[in-house]
Amino acid sequence: MTDATHVTDATDTAETAAATGTLEYAYAVVREADIPRTALERVRGVAGEPVRAVPHLGLAVLAGPVPAADFDEGPLRERLEDLTWLEGVARAHQRVVDTAGADTCVIPVRMATVCRGEEGLRRLLATGRDRFTTALDRLEGRVEWGVKVYAAPAPAEEPSAEPSAATSGRDYLRRRGAQRRASEERWGRTEEGARRVHETLAALAEGARLHPPQDVRLSGEADRNVLNAAYLLPREDSEAFAEQVGRLAGREPGLRLELTGPWAPYSFVAAEGNGRAEP
């Protein structure tokens, strides 16, 4: 579920601790009893490192050692300005979270959260224990589905001609006004259709989050993004939800729906304040 939203949120929370010791990159928190050991054996982290679980106080943080040359405080600040490097880190971070989350409830930690050694990871669990536990209780058995709605651009208008002897200035302005009103009405119908999609899907979900529409320069899509939403559902309701999205896709003319997931509940843990690394 790599999305610019997640990358933007993550860059504001990157931290490292003191000046000595091994740097540990934190990915997610699980209950100690639910450590996904088999899943961790088949995934590698942001630096190609093995990922393990560090338990403390009934919880465990999924983490891996990373090089100071990239992830210590100074280098990391510079690296976060490199969008190509940042995208690679975001994809690897997400891969770890989603692999672990396929078998158990995970609470994603914000991207680029770096701690000083295992002691720093344990402090991360201790200081956030109440928040992590509450989130795990609330999100147990839940997954996130993403839905984006796109609208094709308006048909290209014929080149406008300047008023001529055969076309009075008044006729020209009238025609241009009619074209503008038609365009406004079309986008109005598009936005109304996107609103119906969201209301229908939100009624099926336990929670919904509206994200800002994606910029075409980031999404690579030619069509305009008019809805960028996330929905929280019990895992067992996923099939019915996907079927409803398919029905809506054929019901709203001029709109294209894109369904992604299921993901770990990224959009529904941000309010918990997770991801602050401790020295």
Side-chain angles (χ1 to χ4, degrees):
M1 184 181 175
T2 301
D3 191 297
T5 301
H6 298 123
V7 172
T8 301
D9 287 344
T11 59
D12 294 335
T13 63
E15 291 189 10
T16 58
T20 60
T22 303
L23 297 181
E24 296 283 349
Y25 187 107
Y27 296 92
V29 172
V30 300
R31 293 187 180 89
E32 184 175 359
D34 297 332
I35 293 174
R37 302 184 190 281
T38 301
L40 295 181
E41 291 176 357
R42 61 176 187 266
V43 71
R44 289 293 182 267
V46 296
E49 83 283 4
V51 180
R52 71 198 187 288
V54 177
H56 188 53
L57 299 175
L59 301 174
V61 56
L62 310 183
V66 290
D70 289 326
F71 290 92
D72 213 344
E73 186 171 6
L76 182 59
R77 290 185 186 279
E78 295 181 8
R79 283 293 203 176
L80 292 176
E81 301 298 324
D82 182 343
L83 295 183
T84 300
W85 183 87
L86 190 60
E87 181 180 6
V89 169
R91 290 183 182 278
H93 181 109
Q94 178 186 324
R95 184 170 59 248
V96 172
V97 174
D98 290 338
T99 300
D103 299 323
T104 190
C105 183
V106 302
I107 302 302
V109 171
R110 291 178 186 266
M111 198 186 79
T113 295
V114 182
C115 298
R116 185 65 57 181
E118 290 195 0
E119 186 59 32
L121 291 172
R122 285 189 285 270
R123 279 196 291 271
L124 174 66
L125 292 176
T127 59
R129 184 172 183 271
D130 289 344
R131 297 191 303 272
F132 289 131
T133 300
T134 298
L136 284 164
D137 290 343
R138 180 170 58 87
L139 298 172
E140 178 67 39
R142 272 63 182 168
V143 293
E144 174 177 327
W145 286 88
V147 175
K148 293 184 177 67
V149 177
Y150 297 93
E157 297 178 356
E158 296 181 1
S160 58
E162 294 298 323
S164 64
T167 305
S168 69
R170 180 176 296 176
D171 289 339
Y172 170 79
L173 294 175
R174 184 181 298 114
R175 186 174 67 249
R176 295 299 294 169
Q179 290 173 340
R180 184 178 64 255
R181 288 191 297 274
S183 178
E184 291 173 350
E185 289 173 1
R186 180 178 184 276
W187 286 121
R189 289 192 298 271
T190 295
E191 292 175 353
E192 178 65 18
R195 184 188 64 77
R196 286 194 297 269
V197 168
H198 176 62
E199 289 181 349
T200 300
L201 297 180
L204 300 176
E206 292 185 351
R209 294 284 187 275
L210 289 174
H211 299 303
Q214 282 191 316
D215 190 309
V216 294
R217 293 170 295 181
L218 297 176
S219 68
E221 295 281 350
D223 297 341
R224 176 184 175 186
N225 181 209
V226 293
L227 178 69
N228 181 11
Y231 302 93
L232 182 71
L233 292 115
R235 189 181 293 273
E236 62 270 21
D237 292 349
S238 291
E239 183 176 353
F241 183 81
E243 290 174 353
Q244 180 62 54
V245 172
R247 287 191 290 270
L248 289 172
R251 190 181 300 168
E252 295 290 346
L255 297 180
R256 176 169 61 85
L257 276 65
E258 177 184 280
L259 176 68
T260 60
W263 311 110
Y266 295 92
S267 300
F268 300 91
V269 298
E272 302 293 337
N274 299 333
R276 300 299 294 179
E278 290 295 319

